[in-house]
Amino acid sequence: MTPDQALAKLMEGNQRFVESKRLNPNQDAARLAEVASGQAPFAAILSCADSRVVPEIVFDQGIGDLFVVRVAGNIAITEDIASEEYAVGVLGTPLLVVLGHERCGAVAAALEGGELPGVIESLVFAIRPAVQASEGKSGDRLTNAIKSNVSLQVQRLQNSSVIASALQEGKLKIVGAYYDLNTGEISLVD
């Protein structure tokens, strides 16, 4: 599957989800047996850990279709980059998507500032440059920061030598995306 075909397949699945016409593919015992000995996902997703954003469901995919890494704020920190490098470099996944979403709490925390308990501050620290880059743009401040954060994380992933090499060879496409919590629709972020 080419990177463009993988993106089309993913977006077609989201359209089915939005229209309540899910096929629920690859979610049976036969698929379980098929992928038990190995995986070949057609897309890798770096998604927020938010419980309302479940990539396999919102893209209408099944077992073994997606390689999903979830972390609050969909941030590309070392371990997440390493996981996506595995998907791209070892599994040969042709598509990598950074999936942000409407009303993201991690981005909102970065916008608001202030004290946070435990090590939550590490998430906010990774998002702050995106917040700063979005300042002064017209429109909703939080939405702008969320989309800016998606773009920042795409850039961070592109700095990986494994991912950069796959991009340069035309084996990989990387895109940013934004999930609307109210409609379920996913749109690409420039």
Side-chain angles (χ1 to χ4, degrees), residues 149-161:
N149 184 52
V150 166
S151 296
L152 174 64
Q153 306 315 321
V154 166
Q155 290 171 1
R156 287 181 175 162
L157 287 165
Q158 289 171 333
N159 288 332
S160 150
S161 60

Side-chain angles (χ1 to χ4, degrees), residues 28 47 59 62 69 101 173 189:
D28 57 14
S47 177
F59 285 118
V69 175
H101 67 92
K173 181 176 205 137
V189 173

